[in-house]
Amino acid sequence: MGGGGFDRLSIIEELLALYQAATGCYVEDVDLEVNRLQQLQPEYSSFVARVLELSEDFEYEKIGQLIDRYLS
């Protein structure tokens, strides 16, 4: 279904890694995971843009909440 051979399980794994970085307030890890997600899954560009906005304002709790919505 998805481009680049990316399946639902893969995206969940990527989001979980980002979630763990955000909820742990690991700034560099959040940046790394967001960039990785953007490269692996370009159709998530609006999600990535929102996460980057929140990250710039150190809103890691809100990033976690955003990811929760995608994982639910």
Side-chain angles (χ1 to χ4, degrees):
M1 255 197 173
F6 221 77
D7 60 17
R8 176 138 171 86
L9 183 58
S10 295
I11 193 64
I12 289 172
E13 290 172 356
E14 295 298 327
L15 290 175
L16 285 174
L18 177 57
Y19 180 86
Q20 290 174 338
T23 57
C25 298
Y26 301 118
V27 177
E28 290 180 13
D29 290 348
V30 169
D31 291 343
L32 288 171
E33 293 300 334
V34 168
N35 288 328
R36 179 176 161 79
L37 182 60
Q38 187 171 30
Q39 290 174 0
L40 293 174
Q41 200 70 3
E43 59 261 30
Y44 280 80
S45 61
S46 62
F47 173 81
V48 167
R50 181 64 182 138
V51 171
L52 287 173
E53 284 177 20
L54 293 170
S55 178
E56 287 175 7
D57 294 333
F58 302 100
E59 296 284 353
Y60 296 111
E61 185 176 329
K62 289 184 181 178
I63 293 172
Q65 293 169 354
L66 180 64
I67 295 168
D68 273 340
R69 285 186 285 190
Y70 275 83
L71 294 176
S72 300

